[in-house]
Amino acid sequence: MKKVGNWFSAQWSRILISFFVCTLIVSVLWVGQATLLPGLSTNEVAQATSSQTIHQIINNPIGLPHKILQFATQQLLPGPLGVRSASALLGAITLGCFFYVLKHWYSSRIAILGTLTLGTSSWFLNIGRLGTDASMYFLLFIAIACVTWIRKSHASILSLLVSAFVVTMLLYVPGMIWIVIPAVLWQIIQLADRLEKHNPFLLTAISILIILALAPIGWTLFKQPDLVKTYFGIPQTLPTLDVVGKNFLNIPVQLFYQGPNNPEIWLGRLPLLNIFSTAMFAIGLYAYTKKRRLDRTWFTLFVFIFGGALVSIQGPVTTSILTPFIYLMVAAGIALLLQQWFTVFPRNPFARTIGTVLMTLVVLITSYNGLHQYFIAWPNAPETKVVFSQKIN
């Protein structure tokens, strides 16, 4: 008992912070799930219907990560809460991974500010609280957290097993094969020296398990060739090159100038990023140009290019694939600003505290605006009420 008391005394601040963070995540992702909107959207109903039974999921396992979660949540929770909790779970895991990555790449301070910025943004909340499968593209960032874990743990068995599971799930997500396979091959080469310490039979066994776990999707595509295009993230009819180019250029337009004209996921034509996030994104982009040799810089660029291309061809891939990576750049901007401030005042504790407090206040104001936009303005817009008027049996 004394050992437990000593441990609690030494860790009380960390426990308190963890409790606060978990409470915040649960609040922003679950509060009002069943009451904020008058009903479900047509897309939510279609998604919920496709994952109501195990037979339906086996018949078409494309999008398995979200379908299996939504099947479970629909069995445990009633109505809209059950439909939307699958996305909320993926959103919560993403926030945890986002904090973990920032903590190891930067510091606890940046991890808290960056995660708060992402978790209270209207863009993230519209994905993480909606009953569609757009949230399953967050798995790509969860995979980044797994790679970070592998590096930090020197390729522990647990980190390899969890990473193998995440990669397998990603290969059930439409379009992700184009990003996952090159990234896995690249990382195997990068981590070869750390993997050599393990018994080759263990690594072979993990590889075989991945192949066996992917057998259902292979069999489905063999038996239902009409699903092949969907699996590869390709629309049934490819748009012309000029349309693809316009769509690609429209991504930064939606980010910084005029958001999507879609009341199901957005309010009016506001940009996806607010003024603060836009400024931090620009600074973060500059910070990344100074770190061109880092793997994370190249992978983020890879996601922006190929993820943007998959979105631009108007297939099943949505801009949610870019969300965590955009805010990763925002966090890099916050880190650079604070770093420069601390460089100017290296030994003045008062000035350093002022800088941290000012940045925290700006982040809190930004967070309040994001929460107000999502919880007050968006659900009360007439267009939103029209879209969310469906019921599910």
Side-chain angles (χ1 to χ4, degrees):
M1 183 64 70
K2 185 176 180 180
K3 289 183 178 180
V4 174
N6 291 337
W7 177 85
F8 186 82
S9 298
Q11 301 290 332
W12 71 269
S13 60
R14 183 174 296 181
I15 294 172
L16 189 62
I17 291 173
S18 299
F19 176 77
F20 172 76
V21 170
C22 290
T23 302
L24 180 63
I25 289 174
V26 170
S27 298
V28 298
L29 289 174
W30 272 280
V31 168
Q33 280 279 34
T35 58
L36 187 67
L37 298 162
L40 297 168
S41 69
T42 302
N43 289 328
E44 286 183 302
V45 172
Q47 181 64 34
T49 303
S50 71
S51 58
Q52 282 185 327
T53 66
I54 291 294
H55 175 74
Q56 289 174 305
I57 298 173
I58 293 174
N59 187 56
N60 181 6
I62 295 177
L64 178 67
H66 189 275
K67 284 183 176 180
I68 200 70
L69 274 178
Q70 194 172 56
F71 168 78
T73 57
Q74 286 192 92
Q75 304 307 308
L76 297 172
L77 300 168
L81 183 60
V83 172
R84 293 167 178 156
S85 285
S87 295
L89 284 169
L90 286 170
I93 296 170
T94 302
L95 288 177
C97 290
F98 198 76
F99 180 88
Y100 176 81
V101 168
L102 291 182
K103 184 175 182 293
H104 286 286
W105 288 3
Y106 299 103
S107 66
S108 297
R109 179 189 295 112
I110 300 303
I112 293 172
L113 294 177
T115 305
L116 189 61
T117 304
L118 170 64
T120 57
S121 67
S122 297
W123 188 14
F124 175 82
L125 292 173
N126 272 279
I127 300 168
R129 290 173 56 97
L130 196 65
T132 64
D133 60 3
S135 58
M136 66 183 172
Y137 288 99
F138 288 164
L139 276 171
L140 187 60
F141 188 85
I142 295 174
I144 299 300
C146 289
V147 173
T148 304
W149 184 15
I150 290 174
R151 292 176 182 268
K152 294 296 178 182
S153 66
H154 302 286
S156 67
I157 297 298
L158 183 59
S159 67
L160 291 176
L161 289 173
V162 173
S163 300
F165 174 76
V166 171
V167 167
T168 303
M169 290 297 99
L170 264 173
L171 288 172
Y172 275 89
V173 177
M176 287 302 93
I177 191 170
W178 301 109
I179 295 178
V180 172
I181 297 301
V184 167
L185 295 175
W186 175 38
Q187 283 304 303
I188 287 177
I189 295 172
Q190 294 287 318
L191 299 170
D193 57 331
R194 302 186 186 188
L195 296 175
E196 285 177 356
K197 72 174 185 178
H198 292 297
N199 189 317
F201 291 105
L202 173 65
L203 299 178
T204 302
I206 292 176
S207 301
I208 292 173
L209 286 174
I210 293 175
I211 293 171
L212 290 175
L214 291 173
I217 190 65
W219 179 250
T220 297
L221 297 179
F222 175 74
K223 296 292 290 184
Q224 303 180 60
D226 54 308
L227 296 177
V228 170
K229 285 187 175 181
T230 300
Y231 177 72
F232 283 93
I234 301 171
Q236 296 303 314
T237 303
L238 277 170
T240 59
L241 283 177
D242 62 317
V243 172
V244 172
K246 289 178 181 178
N247 291 338
F248 193 86
L249 294 175
N250 192 46
I251 294 175
V253 171
Q254 292 187 2
L255 285 173
F256 309 119
Y257 176 65
Q258 192 175 65
N261 186 20
N262 184 354
E264 182 184 20
I265 61 172
W266 203 240
L267 176 65
R269 301 306 303 273
L270 295 172
L272 294 173
L273 296 182
N274 55 37
I275 295 175
F276 171 75
S277 297
T278 298
M280 292 303 103
F281 178 87
I283 296 172
L285 192 62
Y286 169 77
Y288 265 57
T289 62
K290 298 298 181 181
K291 299 177 180 179
R292 291 187 292 272
R293 295 184 180 181
L294 295 179
D295 288 350
R296 63 176 181 251
T297 299
W298 287 102
F299 185 75
T300 302
L301 179 64
F302 178 70
V303 170
F304 282 165
I305 293 175
F306 283 87
L310 288 169
V311 173
S312 299
I313 61 176
Q314 298 175 330
V317 183
T318 70
T319 53
S320 58
I321 188 177
L322 303 176
T323 309
F325 295 92
I326 294 291
Y327 278 90
L328 192 63
M329 204 72 70
V330 171
I334 295 173
L336 180 60
L337 269 189
L338 285 178
Q339 178 191 4
Q340 293 300 310
W341 182 272
F342 294 157
T343 301
V344 174
F345 300 100
R347 298 180 181 178
N348 187 331
F350 179 75
R352 292 168 67 90
T353 301
I354 288 295
T356 302
V357 169
L358 288 175
M359 180 60 75
T360 303
L361 285 175
V362 174
V363 169
L364 289 175
I365 292 171
T366 301
S367 298
Y368 172 79
N369 288 334
L371 293 174
H372 184 275
Q373 179 179 325
Y374 178 83
F375 285 99
I376 305 298
W378 176 66
N380 287 301
E383 297 83 359
T384 304
K385 292 180 179 180
V386 171
V387 171
F388 290 90
S389 58
Q390 305 295 314
K391 305 295 180 183
I392 189 169
N393 296 325

